[in-house]
Amino acid sequence: VDGKIAVRYHLQTSLGARLDSFADATLYVCVLLGGLALWHAPLLEHWLWLVAAIGSYIVATVVGFLKFRQWPSYHPRPAKASSLFVMVAIGCLAWELPAWPLKLAAASVTLANLESIAISFRLREWQTDVISVLAIQNGTLPGKKS
């Protein structure tokens, strides 16, 4: 919600984007740890999907950090969509529904992280709020630079 408010009132900052990225990472770590505590059996059944999602996030972060010496804070649209899939997967685990939403969530997180890697390779300088790798043209975007 805070991001939408910042956009609406033109209050976006690179610090806000960085804080949002740290908050997202913290949230996902807490979701994973809580999920393992509550639903370890179904999660461990699908460990390969989780490893792909977590591994791709680590690689995306390392690639961005190695290139720009800063945590990537791109917030592309696929990453926002994948968070919705994660919420649905959590609901399905909680109510003991089929596991395919977990696989969908892990696949969408992995694809979003692959796009973040591509964004890091395409950008010439560190930037926040890059909505898509396709939006990059001539190294200039409407995001914030540090």
Side-chain angles (χ1 to χ4, degrees):
V1 172
D2 61 323
K4 297 289 184 193
I5 293 170
V7 170
R8 171 79 171 110
Y9 294 102
H10 307 287
L11 299 171
Q12 299 149 285
T13 65
S14 62
L15 175 61
R18 284 186 238 172
L19 289 173
D20 187 55
S21 293
F22 284 120
D24 289 346
T26 302
L27 173 68
Y28 282 118
V29 167
C30 290
V31 164
L32 179 64
L33 294 176
L36 286 171
L38 294 171
W39 311 296
H40 62 278
L43 287 177
L44 291 179
E45 275 182 41
H46 305 290
W47 67 271
L48 192 58
W49 292 89
L50 297 175
V51 167
I54 295 165
S56 65
Y57 177 77
I58 291 169
V59 170
T61 302
V62 168
V63 166
F65 194 82
L66 288 176
K67 183 166 183 181
F68 301 116
R69 301 289 184 243
Q70 295 188 58
W71 192 295
S73 298
Y74 305 136
H75 307 108
R77 287 184 180 143
K80 293 177 183 195
S82 69
S83 65
L84 295 174
F85 293 133
V86 169
M87 285 190 281
V88 170
I90 291 168
C92 289
L93 284 169
W95 286 292
E96 299 178 0
L97 296 173
W100 67 264
L102 175 64
K103 294 177 182 178
L104 178 64
S108 69
V109 167
T110 303
L111 291 173
N113 290 329
L114 291 174
E115 180 169 34
S116 289
I117 293 168
I119 289 170
S120 289
F121 282 125
R122 299 258 339 253
L123 283 178
R124 293 188 181 144
E125 56 188 17
W126 186 86
Q127 199 163 331
T128 63
D129 299 324
V130 180
I131 62 169
S132 168
V133 70
L134 300 175
I136 300 171
Q137 296 174 4
N138 302 324
T140 59
L141 288 167
K144 304 284 182 216
K145 298 174 186 170
S146 105

